[in-house]
Amino acid sequence: MSVNQQAHTGPPYGQPQPGYQGYQQPAYGGQPLPGVPQSQYGAYNGPMPGYQQPVPPQGSLRAPPTSGAPPPASGASLPSSHLAYSQFGHGDVQNGIPASAAPMQRPPASQPFLPGSAPTPVSQTSTFHQYGPPPASVQQLSNHMAGMTIGSTTASALPPAGLGYGPPTSIPPVSGSFSATGSGLYTPYTASQGPPPTSVSQGLPVALPPFPGQPISTQRLPTQVPGFAPPPSSTGIGPSSYPPTTGAPRPPTMPGPPLPGQTVAGPPTSQPNHVSSPPPPSAMSGPHPGPPMSGLHGPPPPTHPPQPGYQMQQNGSFGQVRGPQPNYGGAYPGTPNYGSQPGQPPPPKRLDPDSIPSPIQVIEDDRSNRGSEPFVTGVRGQVPPLVTTNFLVKDQGNASPRYIRCTSYNIPCTSDMAKQSQVPLAAVIKPLATLPPEETIPYLVDHGESGPVRCNRCKAYMCPFMQFIEGGRRFQCCFCSCVTEVPPHYFQHLDHTGKRVDFYDRPELSLGSYEFLATVDYCKNNKFPSPPAFIFMIDVSYNAVKSGLVRLICEELKSLLDYLPREGNMEESAIRVGFVTYNKVLHFYNVKSSLAQPQMMVVSDVADMFVPLLDGFLVNVNESRTVIASLLDQIPEMFADTRETETVFAPVIQAGLEALKAAECAGKLFIFHTSLPIAEAPGKLKNRDDKKLINTDKEKTLFQPQTNFYNNLAKDCVAQGCCVDLFLFPNQYLDVATLGVVTYQTGGSIYKYAYFQLEIDQDRFLNDLRRDVQKEVGFDAVMRVRTSTGIRATDFFGAFYMSNTTDVEMAGLDCDKTITVEFKHDDKLSEDSGALLQCALLYTSCAGQRRLRIHNLSLNCCTQLADLYRNCETDTLINYLAKYAYRGVLGSPVKTVRDALINQCAQILACYRKNCASPSSAGQLILPECMKLLPVYLNCVLKSDVLQPGLEVTTDDRAYIRQLVTSMDVAETNVFFYPRLLPLTKADVDSDSLPAAIRNSEERLSKGDMYLLENGLNIFVWVGVNVQQGLIQNLFGVSSFSQISNASSTLPVLENPFSKKVRSIVDMLQVQRSRYMKLIIVKQEDKLEMLFKHFLVEDKSLSGGASYVDFLCHMHKEIRQLLS
């Protein structure tokens, strides 16, 4: 049994408790919120501090919310304009964990380390907690309480060579009880103990992984020796670099939280994830003992025998001597002291947030360790730097991580091993990714009429892994082992190593990514394609005209049409354009260059859609420039007095599709749409929004389309290469789940601007439109992923259509879209040959050229689970898990999906604990070094609006986010789920760099500072109430806090260094993201602050999501249950 296991506030997860049933969280102003669900972990659903607790209503835990409006803040009713601050341009901002908090990646063991980092061994045994007196050979600090030892905190990194820490003078290394003296605690350890993996003792801090620069810090598989096993020399993971002397210095241990009756003298270190030699003292003076607790009754957590005098963790009272934190109110109604004598309330025990793995620290460490050297792709199975690290890629035979990232770069040799670990094997592929200017875009190889050289059997394309034999006359396929004749024109002699002598002259033999010019055999109907067309289809109903949207679009298109995408050195774009306007009927425009004025043709029979003109509908921009300009001037005037409020939608897509069919080309429809299509027409929809379905078995219907009509329409669009991009401007429900079906299945993009207001949303919309029109896009695309024998692609996630089990079809594929592919074993793999992936994308370029883009990647294979766990990429894993869960909600209740996610991650970590970590007490949570952020990121996915909506989140928002995330790349999911939080007041106005990010928690914010938070869709600027007046004047141009307006969506342009710096930071962030983020100014204690707090993802959420600390405890409990 573990004495380290603290009891939890409240019952075991999710159980009702006597005297505590249906505990509702109070609303912002103290009134109960009828619809706020209880947290999914009953145990952590503690009171929101600072609010009085209402008497819980009896009955169901969650009353049906009454409306989509956000709950009023502090009793005031919010005007509807508040909704304008919604999420994705909506009043309910989405929560997200930014994608960027990835775990550290280790350089392969063969790479030199950066200077200054200690060489750490590849393998380490972890320390254990002992019960009973420690063996004499290991001097372990232990606290004997009631005859039991509370496990010691585990050790951090080895000190760099040359720094020896002797045994501390202040603490004799004996096993009596001790007072922790902050970070000055050093205990010697013997040669038989290596530093442990990241381990969190419940209620005690994390054991520190070795040095930041360190390559592989997963522990070696322990041999079966009772007590502390010396690292076995036979496991083949590399020799231990610990000196085999009994007096080896032991690095500093992190202080634990104060044990009962114990005082803490020294400062805890501020960053536990990587402690370098002497741990830096933190700015705080010592842990603040949490408020006392008294009297909540609930059953004790199961399976823990009584623990004399040991107290539960107080829910969230952490923060060094800072008084009660804003999010975690003052004194709590307390909890029973499980198992101890009645009437002795011991002091509460806390898990210090600074002692658990920090995304910020992991990101910073990876930047400093791996940001300076280029990532060279020549070696098989290398784990790339994190997505949050800026690095250059040199292609030497494997595709750049900008094109393909994997959940693991060392995959199990057998399916049994894969099932045992539960680590999904998946690749996130972004075939047309944009590269930074310093990197070379893939070379285009033209093999003439014969086309690319391929394997006869599996049709894989020539790549660096093909083996030439018989003097170069034949080659053996690396995917299926079939031998194929080399065509005469392709023959070349081999050198003494068996490589062709033209190896470096041919991209397909020496590079991981390249393109082939496709022959006519790769084209539809065996004829080369025409250049694609863009058709702009504008809703001219009353709402669109009144809001100024129609005029804005027409003005913008006049200049935007000069920036259509074009091939490298072409004078002008080959893309032709057409225009349609619509409300209940459709208006087509003839803009032929020979006309003096454009001509309008109306089609009112929307049930049988046809295109009334062929010649003059799709035109070259330069030839018809004056007619187009005249049309764009006339449209806003023509419909200025419209009274038509109803719209159609499906006939609009059908019209675009018919026009492309008639022109025999692929293309893209840009549809600007404002309302639910209720007019009589095919695809007509009804308003089916129903908040009462949330948390019921029927909730999944909210994510499903109302009708199959749009699925069939999407299929027709894909067959023609007609991609649909949708710009939505809703003032109420318009059923994104249904309207988005065609966009989603054709590979298009959806943009949403709820409650569109010209002055606030114009910049964002225009920036999105410009980027959407100009970005690189391939049409009529088909993608196939081939794998070497042993694994195969079994599942696909993203915006596409599949008519069979292998081909991913997209009418359009742009540079931002990813396709996620999951692999399963169908045979054994071998460690020698590894595993190979080849992604082949056939597409039509914007000039009408048919091309094949090829990406190759080689991975290692392993027979030891430890090798799998040390080569995983947590950011990619979270990207896959989020997509898997977001697809799951279409067919299962949300709760089922959430539970499955938690269970899978618990199994991943339990398998590691059981098979890879050295034995230690069950009270310790041990995480693999490269997965130590899995719990914090997973919690962010679970708290996201799709899986756990707050009251103010609309059904449309959830459907919108679900579709967005499904085609996001790893960098986007990273910042979306764990947002980036920057202290603006700490920015150096003289440098180009960003200020160092801080963790996403309210207790990290100071009232005297300003912060910027971004998640890829929104940028918040949060201003504390005590910010210096000078800074307010410099940034906002007003003289006091009260005068700051949060109605503006831009920062004023002021000529002072601080204003310039903050605006340059905002611009820098905008450029990094695929969408233009909405800027929202939030004043502390203002009604908008609730929205902002939704993104502080380490804290407990109002919709019932657990805090990071609580979730880590919950994961630990799940892991222990699996292990027992």
Side-chain angles (χ1 to χ4, degrees):
M1 81 117 250
S2 153
V3 192
N4 274 349
Q5 166 72 32
Q6 78 248 4
H8 297 298
T9 350
Y13 305 88
Q15 293 178 8
Q17 329 164 16
Y20 188 51
Q21 61 277 42
Y23 178 108
Q24 300 280 340
Q25 287 185 344
Y28 315 149
Q31 55 296 32
L33 273 186
V36 175
Q38 175 149 353
S39 141
Q40 66 274 32
Y41 314 123
Y44 295 130
N45 195 17
M48 287 292 291
Y51 305 134
Q52 324 79 283
Q53 309 307 343
V55 179
Q58 298 300 317
S60 77
L61 291 185
R62 174 169 189 149
T66 47
S67 78
S74 34
S77 63
L78 302 183
S80 61
S81 65
H82 165 66
L83 288 170
Y85 295 98
S86 151
Q87 167 85 333
F88 319 101
H90 204 79
D92 25 352
V93 179
Q94 201 48 5
N95 85 343
I97 320 179
S100 46
M104 260 197 61
Q105 242 65 40
R106 287 87 25 220
S110 60
Q111 275 192 329
F113 297 161
L114 298 177
S117 69
T120 21
V122 176
S123 58
Q124 302 150 5
T125 37
S126 81
T127 55
F128 308 47
H129 292 284
Q130 304 155 350
Y131 295 103
S137 65
V138 179
Q139 295 169 319
Q140 182 97 7
L141 292 176
S142 14
N143 181 340
H144 282 265
M145 278 179 50
M148 307 190 72
T149 340
I150 310 268
S152 72
T153 50
T154 37
S156 79
L158 258 182
L163 282 177
Y165 292 104
T169 47
S170 58
I171 304 168
V174 295
S175 60
S177 62
F178 65 100
S179 325
T181 49
S183 50
L185 252 178
Y186 306 121
T187 43
Y189 61 66
T190 61
S192 63
Q193 276 176 279
T198 308
S199 66
V200 180
S201 318
Q202 277 216 327
L204 295 173
V206 188
L208 309 172
F211 264 62
Q214 132 173 7
I216 300 164
S217 63
T218 353
Q219 319 55 253
R220 165 193 300 288
L221 301 172
T223 44
Q224 300 306 307
V225 181
F228 288 123
S233 51
S234 60
T235 46
I237 306 178
S240 165
S241 62
Y242 288 101
T245 60
T246 45
R250 172 168 182 157
T253 56
M254 291 293 299
L259 297 170
Q262 196 181 308
T263 55
V264 175
T269 54
S270 56
Q271 201 26 277
N273 275 339
H274 293 289
V275 173
S276 39
S277 348
S282 81
M284 299 91 174
S285 58
H288 155 71
M293 314 185 178
S294 59
L296 269 183
H297 301 294
T303 74
H304 304 322
Q307 305 171 10
Y310 223 59
Q311 174 53 15
M312 353 176 79
Q313 171 185 347
Q314 138 112 32
N315 190 17
S317 83
F318 23 81
Q320 282 65 317
V321 196
R322 286 186 237 173
Q325 289 306 326
N327 248 11
Y328 307 95
Y332 235 62
T335 49
N337 178 20
Y338 296 130
S340 67
Q341 304 78 15
Q344 299 181 344
K349 170 166 161 211
R350 299 166 299 101
L351 189 56
D352 176 8
D354 278 334
S355 71
I356 56 182
S358 155
I360 304 304
Q361 186 68 37
V362 171
I363 290 169
E364 281 309 314
D365 289 342
D366 194 75
R367 278 190 185 138
S368 56
N369 296 329
R370 305 199 63 187
S372 50
E373 293 293 310
F375 178 69
V376 181
T377 71
V379 182
R380 181 175 86 189
Q382 276 187 103
V383 182
L386 300 185
V387 283
T388 43
T389 299
N390 276 331
F391 59 99
L392 270 184
V393 179
K394 289 195 173 161
D395 184 342
Q396 291 192 0
N398 282 291
S400 160
R402 303 190 206 289
Y403 295 123
I404 307 182
R405 273 188 181 264
C406 294
T407 52
S408 179
Y409 287 80
N410 200 333
I411 61 182
C413 283
T414 64
S415 61
D416 289 347
M417 233 177 113
K419 282 185 188 126
Q420 187 184 359
S421 73
Q422 287 285 312
V423 175
L425 305 175
V428 179
I429 306 175
K430 193 175 183 183
L432 298 179
T434 310
L435 300 182
E438 314 84 77
E439 292 177 22
T440 315
I441 58 169
Y443 290 101
L444 181 60
V445 178
D446 184 358
H447 282 316
E449 305 241 326
S450 60
V453 178
R454 305 175 69 176
C455 166
N456 270 346
R457 186 198 290 160
C458 70
K459 302 295 184 224
Y461 294 86
M462 180 53 65
C463 71
F465 312 121
M466 297 290 190
Q467 192 67 42
F468 286 88
I469 54 177
E470 296 178 23
R473 286 189 294 282
R474 306 169 89 188
F475 68 90
Q476 183 168 26
C477 177
C478 50
F479 295 95
C480 72
S481 303
C482 175
V483 173
T484 301
E485 295 283 333
V486 173
H489 72 88
Y490 198 69
F491 174 77
Q492 187 52 271
H493 294 286
L494 308 184
D495 66 12
H496 65 286
T497 65
K499 266 186 184 169
R500 284 172 54 122
V501 294
D502 62 353
F503 175 78
Y504 289 111
D505 302 331
R506 291 195 177 272
E508 73 273 22
L509 299 181
S510 53
L511 299 177
S513 301
Y514 42 87
E515 291 200 313
F516 291 121
L517 202 53
T519 59
V520 75
D521 308 333
Y522 291 87
C523 303
K524 249 185 211 160
N525 308 326
N526 277 355
K527 60 180 195 188
F528 284 112
S530 311
F534 282 1
I535 304 177
F536 297 91
M537 315 184 91
I538 305 167
D539 175 347
V540 288
S541 63
Y542 177 74
N543 277 345
V545 174
K546 185 191 67 169
S547 66
L549 180 62
V550 173
R551 186 175 297 278
L552 181 68
I553 293 168
C554 292
E555 282 301 316
E556 179 60 28
L557 286 179
K558 285 183 201 169
S559 53
L560 186 54
L561 293 177
D562 288 332
Y563 296 96
L564 299 176
R566 62 186 100 182
E567 276 318 321
N569 48 10
M570 288 173 59
E571 286 293 302
E572 62 176 52
S573 174
I575 293 173
R576 291 167 298 161
V577 299
F579 303 89
V580 172
T581 55
Y582 67 94
N583 38 46
K584 267 166 72 170
V585 298
L586 276 77
H587 322 104
F588 293 80
Y589 297 92
N590 183 345
V591 282
K592 200 173 174 180
S593 55
S594 55
L595 295 173
Q597 283 294 322
Q599 295 171 346
M600 175 163 108
M601 299 186 187
V602 180
V603 176
S604 52
D605 181 7
V606 289
D608 185 17
M609 185 45 63
F610 66 98
V611 178
L613 74 163
L614 288 180
D615 191 28
F617 179 63
L618 294 178
V619 297
N620 173 293
V621 173
N622 280 339
E623 290 170 11
S624 297
R625 183 175 297 280
T626 51
V627 194
I628 291 172
S630 169
L631 170 67
L632 293 172
D633 283 336
Q634 289 173 36
I635 287 174
E637 307 308 327
M638 265 190 291
F639 298 100
D641 301 324
T642 185
R643 284 284 165 267
E644 184 54 74
T645 55
E646 292 188 357
T647 57
V648 296
F649 184 71
V652 181
I653 296 175
Q654 287 170 326
L657 173 60
E658 292 302 322
L660 294 177
K661 272 186 187 166
E664 296 185 345
C665 68
K668 187 182 267 199
L669 313 182
F670 295 83
I671 302 179
F672 305 91
H673 189 80
T674 60
S675 59
L676 191 70
I678 54 173
E680 259 331 303
K684 170 185 173 180
L685 301 178
K686 60 180 192 292
N687 186 337
R688 50 143 188 184
D689 189 16
D690 186 359
K691 282 269 179 115
K692 291 202 262 313
L693 298 181
I694 292 179
N695 286 340
T696 69
D697 284 354
K698 289 189 176 169
E699 182 172 5
K700 57 182 181 243
T701 59
L702 297 175
F703 295 111
Q704 298 164 352
Q706 273 187 46
T707 149
N708 273 336
F709 182 88
Y710 288 95
N711 295 70
N712 298 326
L713 181 54
K715 186 175 168 183
D716 296 341
C717 287
V718 171
Q720 181 56 43
C722 168
C723 177
V724 179
D725 279 3
L726 192 50
F727 293 81
L728 297 173
F729 306 87
N731 288 335
Q732 57 202 18
Y733 178 74
L734 52 58
D735 203 348
V736 172
T738 306
L739 296 189
V741 165
V742 179
T743 298
Y744 185 66
Q745 294 192 16
T746 58
S749 306
I750 301 188
Y751 299 84
K752 181 162 158 291
Y753 311 88
Y755 307 102
F756 179 80
Q757 290 175 277
L758 208 60
E759 58 285 357
I760 292 176
D761 298 307
Q762 161 176 337
D763 279 355
R764 184 162 59 104
F765 162 58
L766 293 180
N767 275 288
D768 283 343
L769 176 59
R770 286 166 194 155
R771 189 164 190 282
D772 197 57
V773 167
Q774 295 173 42
K775 68 185 172 189
E776 182 188 355
V777 59
F779 294 95
D780 231 338
V782 184
M783 186 183 101
R784 183 176 282 191
V785 178
R786 292 179 174 83
T787 53
S788 53
T789 312
I791 53 168
R792 63 195 169 87
T794 55
D795 209 350
F796 300 86
F797 304 82
F800 53 74
Y801 174 78
M802 290 187 83
S803 56
N804 58 35
T805 57
T806 53
D807 295 337
V808 175
E809 300 173 47
M810 293 154 288
L813 173 68
D814 64 48
C815 55
D816 297 324
K817 295 284 184 305
T818 63
I819 294 95
T820 301
V821 186
E822 185 179 9
F823 303 97
K824 290 259 166 52
H825 287 76
D826 57 7
D827 203 347
K828 285 201 169 91
L829 296 163
S830 89
E831 286 188 279
D832 298 338
S833 54
L836 301 174
L837 317 177
Q838 183 178 80
C839 161
L841 176 78
L842 174 64
Y843 71 100
T844 303
S845 75
C846 56
Q849 200 176 52
R850 201 72 177 146
R851 294 181 177 180
L852 282 152
R853 180 168 287 200
I854 313 293
H855 298 297
N856 303 286
L857 186 64
S858 60
L859 302 173
N860 288 328
C861 297
C862 59
T863 52
Q864 299 290 329
L865 282 165
D867 292 328
L868 162 69
Y869 281 101
R870 98 172 36 105
N871 290 283
C872 286
E873 231 267 286
T874 301
D875 291 317
T876 310
L877 191 56
I878 287 292
N879 179 285
Y880 164 83
L881 290 171
K883 291 171 181 177
Y884 184 79
Y886 281 16
R887 185 177 67 184
V889 298
L890 291 173
S892 307
V894 171
K895 182 178 187 313
T896 310
V897 173
R898 299 164 47 80
D899 291 346
L901 268 185
I902 294 173
N903 185 41
Q904 181 168 7
C905 289
Q907 287 190 336
I908 290 172
L909 297 173
C911 173
Y912 172 81
R913 172 66 185 261
K914 183 177 172 187
N915 299 289
C916 308
S918 301
S920 59
S921 95
Q924 234 184 349
L925 171 60
I926 300 185
L927 302 169
E929 173 61 16
C930 66
M931 279 192 192
K932 63 185 178 188
L933 298 181
L934 187 60
V936 62
Y937 287 166
L938 177 69
N939 190 34
C940 296
V941 174
L942 293 170
K943 293 201 293 189
S944 65
D945 285 338
V946 172
L947 297 182
Q948 191 165 37
L951 271 185
E952 72 293 353
V953 178
T954 66
T955 304
D956 274 344
D957 275 325
R958 297 178 73 196
Y960 175 63
I961 286 309
R962 200 190 75 74
Q963 293 200 12
L964 273 188
V965 168
T966 307
S967 38
M968 276 186 183
D969 70 11
V970 180
E972 288 172 317
T973 50
N974 180 272
V975 78
F976 178 73
F977 288 116
Y978 192 96
R980 176 149 55 161
L981 183 58
L982 305 173
L984 293 178
T985 20
K986 306 273 191 303
D988 178 359
V989 292
D990 299 321
S991 92
D992 291 339
S993 61
L994 293 172
I998 59 170
R999 291 173 67 169
N1000 282 198
S1001 172
E1002 188 174 359
E1003 66 160 15
R1004 311 273 167 181
L1005 305 181
S1006 145
K1007 289 183 173 185
D1009 288 327
M1010 292 188 221
Y1011 299 86
L1012 180 148
L1013 182 144
E1014 64 124 356
N1015 75 337
L1017 295 178
N1018 299 290
I1019 291 181
F1020 292 90
V1021 174
W1022 182 89
V1023 186
V1025 286
N1026 297 343
V1027 172
Q1028 293 171 9
Q1029 188 199 333
L1031 284 175
I1032 290 175
Q1033 182 72 52
N1034 282 346
L1035 188 57
F1036 299 103
V1038 295
S1039 55
S1040 70
F1041 179 81
S1042 59
Q1043 291 175 301
I1044 298 172
S1045 159
N1046 51 21
S1048 172
S1049 60
T1050 52
L1051 293 170
V1053 178
L1054 302 172
E1055 287 302 314
N1056 65 70
F1058 185 61
S1059 172
K1060 285 178 182 167
K1061 176 66 185 176
V1062 173
R1063 283 181 289 114
S1064 81
I1065 289 174
V1066 170
D1067 293 344
M1068 197 187 307
L1069 298 179
Q1070 293 284 22
V1071 170
Q1072 289 174 14
R1073 305 290 168 220
S1074 61
R1075 289 163 184 255
Y1076 195 83
M1077 295 180 280
K1078 178 173 187 169
L1079 182 79
I1080 300 171
I1081 294 165
V1082 178
K1083 294 155 71 173
Q1084 187 178 3
E1085 295 163 12
D1086 183 68
K1087 64 186 182 212
L1088 272 177
E1089 201 183 21
M1090 276 303 164
L1091 189 60
F1092 172 76
K1093 285 181 181 175
H1094 186 52
F1095 295 92
L1096 298 175
V1097 291
E1098 288 197 21
D1099 297 340
K1100 202 156 76 183
S1101 71
L1102 275 175
S1103 54
S1107 69
Y1108 174 21
V1109 169
D1110 293 343
F1111 185 70
L1112 197 63
C1113 296
H1114 178 66
M1115 282 302 284
H1116 188 190
K1117 175 169 173 279
E1118 294 281 322
I1119 292 165
R1120 292 182 62 174
Q1121 281 177 346
L1122 287 171
L1123 292 174
S1124 62

